[in-house]
Amino acid sequence: MRIGSGYDSHRLIEGRKLIIGGVDIPFEKGLLGHSDADVLCHAIIDAILGALGLGDIGRHFPDTEDKWKDASSIDLLSSIIELMKQKNFGILWVDSTVIAERPKLQPFIEEMIKNLSSAGIPSNSINIKAKTNEGMGLIGRGEGIAAQAVCLLKAV
Ligand code: MG
């Protein structure tokens, strides 16, 4: 068995879609990034890559490459899960937390789980938690959103 952890954060700006867990969430701002800046997918990708000992998301999808511009992070996650299968590992469990002052994410979690399962994480093997930062710091001021994930992989 292998364990991996992942963390990601992106700045909130006007004029961008807010995509978290592959869900297009109605909000006045969105996350800035080279891809769709889906913090939850990025944290999960880094957790899986960590468990595989294969570096991080930036090594696999460099933000200097045009082909990843505005890329769907659900697609990036799918390709990392394919890589995991090639390395003969399977997902036992993924636990994750998204930290956002606003908007409220709870109503979108079920749809996030559906999207993540379409990317190859079984819906009975993932948990997503949504928290605020109690008004403190950059997340509390609404400057950005962060996510954390841990995953447990089994050799298959
Ligand atoms: Mg990111």
Side-chain angles (χ1 to χ4, degrees):
M1 277 201 295
R2 298 273 191 91
I3 191 168
S5 79
Y7 169 82
D8 194 34
S9 62
H10 284 270
R11 186 180 293 273
L12 272 172
I13 62 155
E14 280 170 13
R16 289 268 303 182
K17 284 183 172 185
L18 178 60
I19 309 286
I20 301 179
V23 182
D24 188 343
I25 296 170
F27 193 53
E28 71 258 23
K29 290 180 177 179
L31 294 172
L32 176 64
H34 187 66
S35 66
D36 63 5
D38 186 329
V39 276
L40 177 58
C41 285
H42 292 185
I44 293 171
I45 287 170
D46 265 356
I48 294 170
L49 288 171
L52 294 171
L54 291 175
D56 62 27
I57 188 170
R59 187 166 121 195
H60 295 263
F61 309 108
D63 63 8
T64 47
E65 279 183 25
D66 268 359
K67 67 174 161 177
W68 308 122
K69 183 147 173 41
D70 298 322
S72 155
S73 298
I74 286 284
D75 292 345
L76 304 185
L77 178 60
S78 289
S79 79
I80 289 302
I81 286 173
E82 277 312 307
L83 179 64
M84 176 195 76
K85 288 177 181 166
Q86 284 165 23
K87 300 286 179 188
N88 299 314
F89 280 95
I91 287 176
L92 264 184
W93 193 257
V94 173
D95 187 25
S96 61
T97 306
V98 183
I99 310 144
E101 208 62 29
R102 283 194 318 129
K104 282 267 168 267
L105 299 176
Q106 202 63 44
F108 304 100
I109 286 181
E110 205 177 306
E111 199 179 339
M112 292 179 193
I113 289 173
K114 256 184 225 160
N115 292 338
L116 294 168
S117 103
S118 78
I121 299 176
S123 55
N124 60 0
S125 306
I126 181 155
N127 187 64
I128 302 171
K129 305 183 293 297
K131 294 185 78 73
T132 71
N133 215 32
E134 299 282 338
M136 297 180 287
L138 67 91
I139 293 172
R141 290 189 299 271
E143 293 170 20
I145 290 177
Q148 299 174 333
V150 289
C151 73
L152 198 59
L153 303 187
K154 58 175 185 246
V156 290

